[in-house]
Amino acid sequence: MGKNQTKLSSKDFSDVLGGTKFTDQEIRDWFERFKKEFPKGKIRRPEFLVIYARLFPDGDAGEFTDYIFRTYDQNADGVIDFREFMMTVSIAQRGSPEEKLKWAFRLYDLDGNGQLTEDEIETVLTAIYKARSQDNPRVKAKEIAKEFLVNLDSDKDGFISEEEFVREIGKCPTLKELLQGI
């Protein structure tokens, strides 16, 4: 996508149309709103933090926002372009339960190796609890991270794969509840 994107190229339009569950007109409408809000055609981390800080006015959303930003920024270039934005919005608004769970898995998979560790889960949960202004976020996160591992690690190898995460999520009501709040 261009430096100052004021028009959506036909290639970018095709990529978004093919990669999302939005119609031609919906994509055009989203692009117009995106352009107004982000005239340079990209969302930088500080802008994203401002947006998420509004969602969690009583908490500290900084860490949590970094993790969410990373899931949007699919090519890890430090900015979210329109295509990346729309791919995530499509999953959030129109994705299947499995697509949403795979997105959530990426949120927790901090090192991107395809396996969740107890430490990764605890780190993200702590950030979520801080954003929500909950008391003793680290203690609560540690307790829930252990529950995740016990309930979702079906092969008992000490890690949770994406497949286990998607398949076993029903065994962990606490996690399902947390994911609904993201």
Side-chain angles (χ1 to χ4, degrees), residues 72-133:
Y72 273 85
D73 183 17
Q74 296 168 358
N75 65 357
D77 66 353
V79 295
I80 300 167
D81 62 29
F82 181 69
R83 186 195 60 75
E84 292 169 321
F85 176 77
M86 289 305 296
M87 298 299 177
T88 301
V89 169
S90 179
I91 291 169
Q93 288 190 354
R94 300 195 177 155
S96 68
E98 183 175 339
E99 288 170 323
K100 290 177 181 183
L101 288 171
K102 286 181 177 183
W103 181 88
F105 181 87
R106 287 192 312 273
L107 174 67
Y108 284 90
D109 188 13
L110 297 177
D111 62 9
N113 71 351
Q115 299 180 97
L116 303 184
T117 64
E118 189 172 331
D119 284 344
E120 286 175 313
I121 296 165
E122 182 181 331
T123 299
V124 174
L125 287 175
T126 299
I128 291 170
Y129 291 136
K130 283 181 181 177
R132 292 180 175 178
S133 248

Side-chain angles (χ1 to χ4, degrees), residues 17 50 53 89 119 133 135 146:
L17 185 61
V50 168
V89 169
D119 284 344
S133 248
D135 294 332
K146 287 183 190 311

Side-chain angles (χ1 to χ4, degrees), residues 18-174:
T20 68
K21 296 180 180 182
F22 291 108
T23 66
D24 295 32
Q25 189 57 51
E26 288 171 323
I27 292 168
R28 291 180 212 293
D29 293 345
W30 271 104
F31 184 70
E32 288 306 312
R33 289 192 303 261
F34 188 87
K35 207 168 53 166
K36 280 182 187 165
E37 191 73 28
F38 308 103
K40 293 185 177 179
K42 304 204 183 281
I43 305 171
R44 299 191 186 315
R45 194 175 298 269
E47 295 165 318
F48 197 75
L49 179 58
V50 168
I51 293 166
Y52 262 78
R54 287 185 218 140
L55 298 174
F56 300 98
D58 298 327
D60 175 4
E63 285 177 68
F64 181 57
T65 301
D66 283 341
Y67 302 140
I68 295 287
F69 187 91
R70 183 182 47 80
T71 61
Y72 273 85
D73 183 17
Q74 296 168 358
N75 65 357
D77 66 353
V79 295
I80 300 167
D81 62 29
F82 181 69
R83 186 195 60 75
E84 292 169 321
F85 176 77
M86 289 305 296
M87 298 299 177
T88 301
V89 169
S90 179
I91 291 169
Q93 288 190 354
R94 300 195 177 155
S96 68
E98 183 175 339
E99 288 170 323
K100 290 177 181 183
L101 288 171
K102 286 181 177 183
W103 181 88
F105 181 87
R106 287 192 312 273
L107 174 67
Y108 284 90
D109 188 13
L110 297 177
D111 62 9
N113 71 351
Q115 299 180 97
L116 303 184
T117 64
E118 189 172 331
D119 284 344
E120 286 175 313
I121 296 165
E122 182 181 331
T123 299
V124 174
L125 287 175
T126 299
I128 291 170
Y129 291 136
K130 283 181 181 177
R132 292 180 175 178
S133 248
Q134 293 190 343
D135 294 332
N136 302 314
R138 176 71 66 193
V139 172
K140 186 168 181 125
K142 190 173 209 53
E143 176 186 313
I144 301 301
K146 287 183 190 311
E147 181 184 336
F148 270 41
L149 210 54
V150 167
N151 288 307
L152 303 182
D153 181 19
S154 59
D155 64 6
K156 304 301 179 206
D157 65 355
F159 302 99
I160 300 169
S161 68
E162 182 182 71
E163 180 184 322
E164 288 172 319
F165 187 84
V166 171
R167 185 183 62 232
E168 305 293 334
I169 195 76
K171 295 180 180 176
C172 193
T174 306

